[in-house]
Amino acid sequence: MTVDGAFDSDRMVAALVRLHQALQDIALPLDVAGAEEQRRSHAVLVDQLEDYVIPRMMTIDAPLLAVVGGSTGAGKSTLVNSLVGRRVTAPGLLRPTTRSPVLVHNPADAGWFGQDRLLPDLKRVEHATDDPKALQLVASDNIPAGLAILDAPDVDSVEEQNRLLAAQLLAAADLWIFVTSAARYADQVPWEFLKAAAERSTAVAVVLDRTPADAVQTVATHLARMLAARGLKDSPLFIVHEGQVSDDGLLPAAHVAEVRGWLDMLADDVSARQAVVAQTLDGAVRALTFNVHPVADAAAQQADALVRLRSDAESAYARARTDIMAATADGTLLRGEVLARWQEYVGTGELLKSLENKVGKLRDRMVGALKGKPQQADRVSVAVESGLELLILEHAEAAAERAESAWQQTEAGRGLLADAPGDLGRASRALRSKAERAVRDWQHDVLEMVRTEGEDKKSMARVLAYGVNGLGVALMVVTFANTAGLTGAEVGIAGGTAVVGQKLLEAVFGDQAVRDLAHRARTALELRVDALLDEEEGRYTGVLDVLTVDPAAPDRLRQAARGVDDVRYATQRNAD
């Protein structure tokens, strides 16, 4: 990968910015299988782009950044001080040591390390601090121009914050100087970092520090074999012999001369320095585009899980809507208290026997039977109100239980239920009062329909004769016996009592008007039931709505990764 061509660099920066945006659009909020691992991968990819790849690609001529990292107690800070020739970073006498990372650079290169450049989330300071969110900048003439050395925390620190910071800093390195010792060189954690470096083709140099003379040959040979076995056979291996540390915290200059000479060579040789940068940068870009695909797959899995969760909730409440409206049309409500109050109102004797008489005679009989019974009409209305409320509450409760049961079947659903406010497995506490209000409002709708239908003089006289409330409860009863468009005598619900309401309304308004009134009343009821259940369902869907999982984001991420690969391959072809 050539990095000195402005055209290629500009195209790559644009492609990387698109990849960064596509990663930012990815959300992994659901606890599906493997989600936690992919969240970490997602965070690493974003950090790698922000901390190193994009800033480095935009400032390709910046000094080579060598990050010194390694095991606890390996002597990293002492090595850095010795390479610089003066104390610039304090060795950690107590473990874990919490302090900011220290970046040493030539004064002429100060402009390359501003807040808008490398590691932009670390604030810049020029004094020693224990703030791990700060980057201490130290200018030194002992560091050649074109080179910067960064002292990182221990990769195996017992302090998690130190480990995370070390990983972040090493991911931002052009060159990783891995420091170990005869006692620590086989430790597992540092080798996990070295494995990742090898997979990304990161330039690595290894320093075997604090090694007794009689152990150098044995340890160095074994370490070299381990490096070769892990894909790092071309990494330089330097030996720093055990020596007396001065009062200033420095090793004898001769002990670090080989390492210092190699770094000076890189600083002086532009081509060699660019080769190191190109190797690490190309490896980082290649690893990025490779590793985004599992994240994209995880995001697609999240979108699928979200669709299932939403479907489970919607299905539970759709069934509740269907069951409620079925129960309000098949005569279910014309039993119990409603039936008893209705029969008290219309009677079951001579009035029912008169149904086959002519309309005029029936009307007269009804007026005589119902006149002076407004309280009985109110009792029917109260019974209807109570029955409807109970029906709505029962089915809303069942819907909540079904939705909760369905969500409990998946890991993602269980996580959402655990974090959700209140008890989603029960109907909301406010539903009872809302249902009471909705039913009363519907009953008001029905009375208004009756009142409006009887506005002409002829009908109004009849309406006044029976009373708006009486005709209203009759319309409610007819509505509850309305199945598949059939009413009254066509279904004969509840011992013929609904037929009485049908005939009563027909006597006042006519057959077609009654059918229209029943349809309008039923539609008005359905709208109010839907509104109640929509709010109940919203307790579930609202939990999903805030997750901002974009089903198109995975494809955008894959496309952005392919765009970066296309630029990378084109650059390589041009270089060849």
Side-chain angles (χ1 to χ4, degrees):
M1 176 180 185
T2 60
V3 295
D4 54 350
F7 177 74
D8 290 335
S9 184
D10 289 345
R11 288 181 59 202
M12 181 58 80
V13 168
L16 290 169
V17 168
R18 285 193 291 271
L19 179 61
H20 179 262
Q21 182 58 59
L23 278 168
Q24 295 284 56
D25 292 341
I26 292 293
L28 305 172
L30 297 173
D31 291 328
V32 299
E36 188 57 37
E37 179 183 354
Q38 292 307 322
R39 287 177 192 134
R40 288 193 296 268
S41 297
H42 178 259
V44 167
L45 292 171
V46 172
D47 288 345
Q48 179 77 349
L49 280 166
E50 294 177 350
D51 292 344
Y52 177 65
V53 175
I54 292 178
R56 173 43 104 180
M57 191 66 69
M58 294 177 68
T59 57
I60 208 65
D61 296 325
L64 177 73
L65 179 64
V67 176
V68 181
S71 307
T72 300
K76 298 183 301 299
S77 297
T78 299
L79 177 65
V80 170
N81 290 333
S82 300
L83 290 172
V84 176
R86 67 182 179 91
R87 184 190 291 270
V88 293
T89 179
L93 300 178
L94 299 176
R95 304 290 174 181
T97 301
T98 302
R99 54 179 172 76
S100 68
V102 179
L103 190 152
V104 190
H105 61 85
N106 186 278
D109 292 333
W112 291 110
F113 302 108
Q115 190 72 50
D116 58 337
R117 303 295 180 96
L118 189 78
L119 299 164
D121 62 329
L122 296 181
K123 64 182 179 181
R124 274 40 173 177
V125 298
E126 296 182 356
H127 55 83
T129 175
D130 60 359
D131 183 0
K133 295 183 179 179
L135 177 62
Q136 181 186 351
L137 299 179
V138 177
S140 173
D141 290 322
N142 291 334
I143 296 296
L147 174 69
I149 300 176
L150 193 155
D151 182 23
D154 303 331
V155 297
D156 55 356
S157 172
V158 297
E159 183 80 26
E160 181 182 16
Q161 191 172 40
N162 283 347
R163 297 196 305 272
L164 294 175
L165 181 57
Q168 180 185 11
L169 296 175
L170 290 169
D174 295 315
L175 168 66
W176 181 17
I177 301 178
F178 169 59
V179 182
T180 188
S181 65
R184 306 299 303 272
Y185 74 94
D187 289 355
Q188 180 180 355
V189 173
W191 281 103
E192 291 175 355
F193 279 86
L194 286 169
K195 178 184 176 183
E199 291 172 348
R200 290 201 307 262
S201 300
T202 301
V204 176
V206 179
V207 176
L208 182 58
D209 196 17
R210 296 183 175 179
T211 308
D214 59 353
V216 167
Q217 185 63 37
T218 302
V219 174
T221 300
H222 188 208
L223 177 56
R225 285 202 299 266
M226 292 179 70
L227 289 169
R230 289 161 175 80
L232 295 167
K233 64 182 179 63
D234 296 327
S235 298
L237 174 59
F238 301 100
I239 308 298
V240 175
H241 293 278
E242 192 173 41
Q244 182 67 37
V245 177
S246 70
D247 293 339
D248 293 330
L250 308 181
L251 289 167
H255 285 222
V256 297
E258 189 179 9
V259 181
R260 176 60 194 258
W262 183 70
L263 291 174
D264 287 345
M265 179 274 294
L266 285 178
D268 292 339
D269 188 337
V270 174
S271 296
R273 191 167 69 239
Q274 286 184 343
V276 170
V277 172
Q279 174 187 333
T280 299
L281 191 54
D282 181 58
V285 171
R286 175 173 47 79
L288 276 168
T289 57
F290 179 80
N291 290 328
V292 298
H293 291 285
V295 173
D297 293 342
Q301 184 183 10
Q302 294 265 329
D304 291 343
L306 190 67
V307 169
R308 175 181 172 179
L309 291 168
R310 189 179 298 277
S311 176
D312 288 340
E314 290 175 348
S315 296
Y317 284 92
R319 177 177 166 184
R321 291 181 181 88
T322 300
D323 290 348
I324 290 173
M325 294 314 297
T328 60
D330 62 5
T332 297
L333 278 175
L334 297 184
R335 303 186 181 104
E337 185 71 12
V338 175
L339 176 59
R341 299 289 80 79
W342 172 249
Q343 288 179 335
E344 285 179 3
Y345 179 49
V346 300
T348 57
E350 292 300 319
L351 190 60
L352 289 176
K353 295 177 183 178
S354 304
L355 289 176
E356 298 303 323
N357 293 349
K358 293 182 179 179
V359 171
K361 292 183 179 180
L362 174 62
R363 183 184 307 128
D364 293 339
R365 288 178 178 271
M366 285 182 172
V367 170
L370 303 181
K371 192 173 182 180
K373 290 188 174 183
Q375 289 183 347
Q376 283 88 339
D378 290 341
R379 290 170 185 165
V380 177
S381 180
V382 170
V384 166
E385 178 183 338
S386 177
L388 267 178
E389 289 169 11
L390 182 60
L391 182 68
I392 292 169
L393 290 172
E394 286 178 346
H395 286 286
E397 196 77 28
E401 291 175 359
R402 284 193 298 271
E404 181 190 43
S405 177
W407 279 25
Q408 287 285 6
Q409 303 307 308
T410 67
E411 187 176 354
R414 290 193 294 272
L416 292 176
L417 289 170
D419 295 337
D423 183 1
L424 293 186
R426 300 292 304 276
S428 67
R429 292 183 179 181
L431 179 61
R432 180 175 296 275
S433 61
K434 291 179 180 179
E436 291 175 356
R437 185 164 58 252
V439 172
R440 291 194 192 103
D441 289 343
W442 175 72
Q443 290 178 317
H444 177 75
D445 294 341
V446 171
L447 296 180
E448 282 300 307
M449 291 177 194
V450 170
R451 188 177 290 108
T452 302
E453 190 68 25
E455 283 181 347
D456 65 274
K457 293 181 179 179
K458 185 176 180 182
S459 295
M460 180 58 71
R462 297 171 186 170
V463 170
L464 293 175
Y466 297 112
V468 172
N469 287 356
L471 295 174
V473 295
L475 180 54
M476 295 174 200
V477 168
V478 169
T479 301
F480 297 151
N482 184 343
T483 302
L486 305 178
T487 59
E490 297 168 310
V491 289
I493 296 296
T497 54
V499 181
V500 176
Q502 173 79 14
K503 291 299 182 180
L504 171 59
L505 291 169
E506 288 177 355
V508 177
F509 301 118
D511 178 72
Q512 185 56 45
V514 172
R515 291 178 181 272
D516 180 61
L517 284 169
H519 174 73
R520 287 163 54 198
R522 181 163 184 76
T523 299
L525 177 60
E526 188 169 6
L527 289 174
R528 296 203 179 272
V529 169
D530 283 347
L532 287 172
L533 293 182
D534 282 347
E535 283 194 49
E536 291 295 294
E537 180 184 321
R539 298 182 306 138
Y540 280 91
T541 58
V543 170
L544 304 178
D545 290 341
V546 300
L547 299 180
T548 62
V549 174
D550 182 356
D555 284 341
R556 289 200 301 270
L557 180 57
R558 296 186 185 99
Q559 184 176 0
R562 287 193 294 269
V564 172
D565 280 336
D566 289 345
V567 176
R568 180 170 170 266
Y569 295 147
T571 302
Q572 290 177 337
R573 285 196 301 270
N574 292 338
D576 296 338

